[in-house]
Amino acid sequence: MSGDEVALSSDEDVVRARHVTRRLAVEAGLRLVDQTKLVTAVSELARNTVIHGGGGVLTAGLVHDGPRTGVRVTCQDEGPGIADLDRAFQDGYTTGNGLGLGFGGARRLVHDFDVRTAPGQGTTITVVRWG
Amino acid sequence: MTTPTPSPADALLSAVLLEDSAVLLTAWAAALDRQFAGARDVADAERECGRLLTAVGRELRADPAIPPRGSTRWEPLRDVLVELSRDCAQAGLSPSETATLVFLLKQPLFDRLRERAAESAGGAEGLTDALWAATTFVDELGLESFDAYLRSREDIIRRQQDELLELSTPVVKLWTGILAVPLIGTLDSARTQVVMESLLEKIIETDAPMAIIDITGVPTVDTLVAQHLLKTVAAARLMGADCIISGIRPQIAQTIVHLGLDLSDVTTKASLADALRVALDRSGYEVRKIGRPA
Ligand SMILES: Nc1ncnc2c1ncn2[C@@H]1O[C@H](COP(=O)(O)OP(=O)(O)OP(=O)(O)O)[C@@H](O)[C@H]1O
Ligand SMILES: [Mg+2]
């Protein structure tokens, strides 16, 4: 996978993460709806990395599977990790002052969603949306 | 208070900068004309060069040691260099051209140092050190002007960003009692705050019962944007105004549903035109085509 990298530590970085994702989604030939879904999911995950994960890094690139092309995005941080994943996925659950929708919503907006996390071990989330 | 005796090199350099400043300025200005004349108007910058030499002279009269960059004695020099870099920027010079302009003082300075050393008996031994002190001093002046140039450019950019922040969030009156805010671009926290405040202010000011927030120009609606929008709607409601959110394109509508955002409390419309029609309707207006009898 070719790699685009964005350091995530501020609001502006989240904007940059969206731009990189949008560009790749266009390159992968995703339709406008699919672009929007992926970009929105990445916006949520990248902001979680900034707010809950204490900052981290995003990597993004195209992926191929036979005739299909997709965009894969990974958000990684060395933050506190997520102790109770089921709760984190629950709509309305937040430890901050958000709506508590981003994490579960992001999962519904992509095709593949993979989480690696443990308390004190940081969080790595990889998502793919196919064209 | 006694000032410590300066090194022979500093003393020589000081003497040249103090006593030969008129000669230096003439030669410096001539070098500037050779370098920039025709291409740039450096008249203002030349005036600042004169002021710089005057400021340097003032410091050296009080203490012949060359003021190091960053010291209190350096501050008056920095102030002049800020002015100088501003003039250079206005004349269309780049940051490096601005530093070059300052570096052009070197040749005249070296020439005068050499002449002075030749005039005085035993002056030659201090010459190498004095040349070194001179080049270091002028380098620092040049770098300061370079930094000042960049700082002023950053200031300009920051000011423009602030202006943009306000410019891009106009609250417009569409009809008596109907306000609209067309949002464009990224709704980062700072801008959303501005939008929210200016809309609420305008609602109070005009006593408008209807406000339309148009997000046609907002590419991504995520939970943060939604949260800001919902807060604005709630605050407007407390002030007696009803909000309509327009510009929800099909792809945004689908994404919002998957995110699990609940906008059922808010009237939403696909286009600003649709929203205006609803607002007019609720305000008791009827819109119809005229001219053709029924
Ligand atoms: N990268 C992360 N590191 C640590 N905790 C996380 C991370 N991502 C999510 N969480 C936890 O999962 C919770 C739910 O996340 P979710 O994105 O759904 O809600 P939120 O960020 O609190 O609010 P919003 O709806 O505005 O996104 C967070 O409140 C946080 O406790
Ligand atoms: Mg979140």
Side-chain angles (χ1 to χ4, degrees):
Chain A
M1 162 170 132
S2 56
D4 260 279
E5 242 187 60
V6 179
L8 296 173
S9 65
S10 68
D11 276 354
E12 291 86 75
D13 295 336
V14 176
V15 176
R16 212 163 296 134
R18 286 202 295 265
H19 284 177
V20 166
T21 307
R22 172 81 66 181
R23 182 170 46 70
L24 288 167
V26 170
E27 204 178 311
L30 265 61
R31 295 179 310 142
L32 184 57
V33 185
D34 296 312
Q35 289 173 26
T36 308
K37 286 181 178 174
L38 177 67
V39 170
T40 308
V42 169
S43 185
E44 296 300 340
L45 298 175
R47 187 170 298 105
N48 281 351
T49 300
V50 171
I51 295 179
H52 308 297
V57 61
L58 171 143
T59 44
L62 299 183
V63 279
H64 305 278
D65 176 29
R68 296 195 303 173
T69 302
V71 180
R72 179 197 282 154
V73 181
T74 300
C75 289
Q76 183 171 12
D77 65 63
E78 313 280 309
I82 305 172
D84 188 344
L85 262 181
D86 287 340
R87 262 177 103 191
F89 276 127
Q90 252 167 45
D91 284 353
Y93 174 76
T94 176
T95 55
N97 40 22
L99 296 172
L101 294 174
F103 197 49
R107 184 163 67 162
R108 290 188 291 268
L109 287 170
V110 295
H111 292 122
D112 307 340
F113 192 100
D114 175 70
V115 195
R116 271 147 225 264
T117 186
Q121 304 286 301
T123 303
T124 301
I125 296 163
T126 301
V127 302
V128 180
R129 180 140 194 126
W130 298 98
Chain B
M1 197 182 96
T2 56
T3 46
T5 350
S7 68
D10 267 16
L12 181 57
L13 179 56
S14 254
V16 168
L17 284 167
L18 261 174
E19 292 156 28
D20 302 339
S21 71
V23 183
L24 287 175
L25 184 58
T26 313
W28 192 5
L32 289 190
D33 286 343
R34 271 197 304 281
Q35 177 92 10
F36 296 105
R40 310 269 188 233
D41 175 15
V42 286
D44 286 337
E46 268 181 38
R47 201 165 25 78
E48 297 302 332
C49 290
R51 286 189 55 211
L52 181 64
L53 288 178
T54 309
V56 169
R58 201 174 301 127
E59 289 311 310
L60 294 179
R61 227 182 314 279
D63 176 355
I66 301 298
R69 192 173 172 195
S71 65
T72 334
R73 297 176 59 224
W74 179 266
E75 276 166 26
L77 310 188
R78 192 197 52 205
D79 293 345
V80 180
L81 288 165
V82 167
E83 294 291 324
L84 179 122
S85 64
R86 188 172 306 149
D87 288 337
C88 288
Q90 253 155 29
L93 270 67
S94 68
S96 63
E97 282 177 316
T98 301
T100 304
L101 180 146
V102 176
F103 293 150
L104 286 175
L105 170 62
K106 278 189 188 180
Q107 194 61 57
L109 195 52
F110 290 179
D111 290 346
R112 276 311 295 149
L113 282 170
R114 246 183 253 111
E115 284 163 23
R116 278 231 175 207
E119 284 159 15
S120 71
E125 41 184 297
L127 181 61
T128 320
D129 286 345
L131 286 173
W132 178 250
T135 196
T136 309
F137 181 53
V138 178
D139 281 350
E140 289 188 332
L141 292 173
L143 291 176
E144 185 76 57
S145 74
F146 188 87
D147 283 351
Y149 190 111
L150 294 186
R151 272 199 306 273
S152 74
R153 194 141 69 175
E154 279 162 18
D155 281 350
I156 291 172
I157 292 172
R158 204 164 305 123
R159 192 152 12 92
Q160 285 174 338
Q161 272 173 345
D162 288 350
E163 281 166 9
L164 207 62
L165 216 58
E166 287 165 21
L167 266 183
S168 53
T169 53
V171 180
V172 293
K173 179 175 153 188
L174 288 184
W175 201 263
T176 312
I178 304 175
L179 300 176
V181 229
L183 299 180
I184 293 166
T186 300
L187 281 187
D188 52 86
S189 311
R191 211 156 77 88
T192 321
Q193 195 65 29
V194 176
V195 176
M196 187 157 149
E197 280 164 16
S198 52
L199 177 61
L200 296 177
E201 267 166 30
K202 201 67 173 234
I203 287 175
I204 300 179
E205 198 182 299
T206 62
D207 212 12
M210 298 286 315
I212 301 170
I213 303 175
D214 184 67
I215 58 168
T216 306
V218 180
T220 313
V221 179
D222 60 9
T223 58
L224 188 72
V225 171
Q227 200 181 6
H228 284 309
L229 289 174
L230 290 172
K231 272 189 193 158
T232 310
V233 172
R237 196 167 282 158
L238 282 177
M239 302 170 56
D242 232 356
C243 285
I244 301 173
I245 299 179
S246 68
I248 313 246
R249 287 93 69 209
Q251 69 274 21
I252 300 289
Q254 291 191 43
T255 305
I256 283 178
V257 170
H258 283 281
L259 264 183
L261 286 168
D262 183 9
L263 296 184
S264 59
D265 254 10
V266 191
T267 311
T268 54
K269 288 285 154 202
S271 71
L272 182 56
D274 291 344
L276 178 58
R277 182 172 286 275
V278 171
L280 285 169
D281 187 51
R282 285 195 196 160
S283 311
Y285 295 100
E286 189 189 347
V287 184
R288 60 187 172 82
K289 230 173 178 168
I290 55 160
R292 199 195 291 186

